[in-house]
């Protein structure tokens, strides 16, 4: 078999490999996002497992422990946040079934009082109150439909999570073999180029974790300070929610600032509601457009605009995994072009 391959010309082998690669991507297209996301998370699992390895006997055990240590804080934060949100929502709005019922008798006395303070005519006041009630009912109906769709898609979601877990494990365990395989396939004359690209990928991966976790923590702390001075209850919970909401594509922490501000305005605390929206806009804009690209670029020479576009449009096109995949793809592409440019300049200088 090997001798037959040696007899084949490179012009024949390359199209065959290209065709097989394209066919493989077509087959894996439904899960390719999770596989790439798993490879990225495996990078961080390997970092944790390397710190654990001196204390355990088996490499596989260190990888499992690394995966667990990476999962526990995320799971606890999500569990605590979701349960608290559901508890507070039930206190404020009642059950979803009652709120979304056609003949729902939602208590809007506090909203009516807030609208009446505006000094408008009774007809306009009633229209505004009806519009608010209709908006709340529509929002809760949307939430209900989303929950139903989420429940119906549990099998597909479970399959995606299973693929993600296996991808993390195998990439973390066999990462060195994969890198060595790439080195063996790459021609000797091109190894310097690919070495620089891999080093750029390493820098980008470090920048991604710093550009996601640290900005979210900064936003959560600053939001907590604002909530505290504005007199809101559940300051710690709201701060955690605000930080986690930064990972939500497009909307981000505005889902928190907007909901809190609107509720404060409707309950008569107009100044408090306006201030939380203004300060929330300042915090979110500063964190997303200044702090995040700036601290990410400290770990890589990639331009901040590349990271910004990767964070935003990666999330738009691929959801939460896109927060990691988007910057990685754009960052590696930028690094590859930069290395290629440097090689070209060196070649020109040598010829001159």
């Amino acid at each position: 078999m090997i001798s037959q391959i040696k007899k084949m010309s490179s012009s024949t082998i390359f199209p065959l490999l290209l065709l097989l690669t394209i066919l493989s991507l077509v087959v894996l297209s439904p899960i390719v996002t999770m596989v790439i996301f798993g490879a990225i998370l495996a990078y961080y699992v390997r970092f944790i497992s390397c710190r654990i390895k001196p204390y355990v006997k088996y490499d596989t055990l260190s990888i499992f422990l690394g995966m667990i240590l990476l999962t526990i804080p995320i799971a606890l934060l999500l569990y605590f946040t979701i349960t608290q949100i559901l508890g507070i929502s039930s206190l404020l709005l009642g059950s979803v079934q009652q709120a979304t019922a056609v003949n729902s008798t939602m208590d809007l006395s506090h909203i009516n009082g807030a609208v009446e303070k505006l000094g408008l005519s009774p007809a306009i006041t009633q229209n505004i109150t009806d519009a608010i009630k209709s908006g709340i009912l529509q929002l809760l109906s949307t939430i209900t439909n989303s929950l139903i769709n989420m429940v119906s898609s549990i099998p597909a979601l479970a399959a995606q999570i299973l693929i993600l877990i296996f991808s993390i494990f195998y990439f973390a365990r066999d990462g060195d073999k994969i890198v060595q395989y790439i080195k063996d396939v790459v021609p000797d004359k091109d190894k310097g180029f690919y070495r620089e690209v891999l080093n750029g990928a390493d820098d980008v991966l470090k920048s991604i974790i710093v550009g996601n976790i640290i900005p979210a923590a900064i936003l959560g702390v600053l939001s907590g300070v604002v909530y505290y001075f504005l007199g809101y209850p559940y300051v710690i919970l709201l701060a955690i929610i605000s930080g986690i909401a930064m990972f939500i594509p497009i909307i981000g922490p505005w889902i928190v600032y907007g909901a809190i501000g609107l509720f404060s305005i409707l309950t008569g605390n107009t100044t408090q509601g306006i201030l939380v929206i203004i300060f929330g806009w300042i915090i979110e804009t500063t964190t997303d457009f200044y702090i995040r690209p700036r601290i990410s670029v400290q770990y890589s020479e990639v331009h901040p605009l590349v990271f910004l576009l990767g964070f935003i449009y990666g999330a738009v096109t691929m959801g939460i995994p896109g927060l990691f995949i988007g910057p990685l793809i754009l960052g590696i592409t930028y690094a590859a072009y930069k290395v290629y440019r440097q090689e070209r300049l060196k070649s020109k200088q040598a010829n001159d």
Side-chain angles (χ1 to χ4, degrees):
M1 181 68 180
I2 300 298
S3 60
Q4 293 177 352
I5 292 177
K6 289 181 178 180
K7 295 178 181 179
M8 297 175 64
S9 64
S10 59
S11 60
T12 305
I13 296 175
F14 180 76
L16 177 62
L17 292 177
L18 181 61
L19 175 62
L20 292 175
T21 302
I22 293 173
L23 292 176
S24 299
L25 290 176
V26 171
V27 171
L28 296 176
S29 58
I31 61 171
V32 68
T33 300
M34 282 298 170
V35 173
I36 297 174
F37 190 37
I40 295 173
L41 293 180
Y43 175 86
Y44 307 113
V45 170
R46 280 177 63 85
F47 176 82
I48 298 172
S49 65
C50 287
R51 300 298 183 274
I52 301 173
K53 192 177 294 185
Y55 306 98
V56 296
K57 185 176 181 181
Y58 302 103
D59 292 343
T60 302
L61 179 59
S62 67
I63 292 173
F64 271 121
L65 293 176
M67 293 175 65
I68 292 172
L69 290 176
L70 186 67
T71 304
I72 286 177
I74 299 173
L76 289 176
L77 276 175
L78 290 176
Y79 174 78
F80 177 74
T81 303
I82 291 172
T83 53
Q84 291 297 309
I85 288 176
L86 293 177
I88 294 174
S89 298
S90 64
L91 288 174
L92 294 176
L93 301 175
S95 65
V96 174
Q97 292 88 344
Q98 179 183 358
T100 54
V102 177
N103 297 323
S104 175
T105 57
M106 187 183 298
D107 183 12
L108 296 176
S109 59
H110 55 290
I111 297 179
N112 290 334
V115 175
E116 289 174 358
K117 291 180 181 179
L118 299 176
L120 303 174
S121 64
I124 296 177
T125 299
Q126 185 61 41
N127 289 335
I128 293 175
T129 304
D130 292 341
I132 292 172
K133 180 178 180 179
S134 175
I136 293 175
L137 294 176
Q138 186 176 0
L139 174 62
L140 293 176
S141 177
T142 302
I143 294 174
T144 304
N145 293 331
S146 299
L147 291 174
I148 293 173
N149 293 333
M150 186 180 298
V151 171
S152 62
S153 63
I154 282 179
L157 181 62
Q160 294 280 340
I161 293 175
L162 191 63
I163 292 168
L164 178 63
I165 292 173
F166 281 114
S167 298
I168 294 172
F169 173 76
Y170 285 114
F171 277 113
R173 191 189 68 175
D174 303 328
D176 293 334
K177 295 179 182 178
I178 296 172
V179 173
Q180 185 60 46
Y181 181 84
I182 294 173
K183 290 180 179 179
D184 294 339
V185 173
V186 172
D188 292 337
K189 63 178 181 179
D190 297 333
K191 284 186 177 180
F193 172 80
Y194 283 96
R195 187 182 302 110
E196 293 297 325
V197 172
L198 287 176
N199 291 336
D202 185 71
D203 287 341
V204 170
L205 286 169
K206 293 176 182 176
S207 303
I208 288 173
I209 195 67
V210 174
N212 279 281
I213 302 300
I214 293 181
I218 292 174
L219 183 137
V221 171
L222 294 177
S223 300
V225 172
V226 170
Y227 298 143
Y228 175 79
F229 282 106
L230 291 180
Y232 282 100
Y234 308 106
V235 171
I236 297 177
L237 174 61
L238 292 175
I240 293 174
I241 297 173
S242 300
I244 294 176
M246 196 172 184
F247 293 94
I248 300 176
I250 305 175
I251 302 174
W254 274 111
I255 194 172
V256 183
Y257 300 140
I260 295 173
L262 180 62
F263 182 79
S264 297
I265 293 171
L266 293 177
T267 53
N269 299 316
T270 306
T271 303
Q272 186 186 46
I274 293 174
L275 285 176
V276 77
I277 292 175
I278 292 174
F279 282 116
W281 176 79
I282 294 172
I283 293 172
E284 195 273 338
T285 304
T286 304
T287 305
D288 217 17
F289 290 90
Y290 179 76
I291 295 177
R292 177 186 290 190
R294 193 167 184 83
I295 65 175
S296 295
V297 81
Q298 297 298 320
Y299 289 82
S300 175
E301 296 181 0
V302 179
H303 195 278
L305 180 61
V306 175
F307 275 106
L308 181 60
L309 294 176
F311 282 126
I312 295 176
Y313 290 100
V316 171
T317 55
M318 290 177 281
I320 292 179
L323 290 169
F324 296 84
I325 299 174
L328 177 64
I329 293 175
L330 293 185
I332 292 178
T333 304
Y334 180 92
Y337 275 104
K338 185 176 180 179
V339 174
Y340 177 75
R341 175 177 173 271
Q342 291 173 348
E343 293 295 329
R344 294 281 294 180
L345 290 176
K346 289 180 181 179
S347 178
K348 287 182 179 180
Q349 291 175 356
N351 293 332
D352 294 339

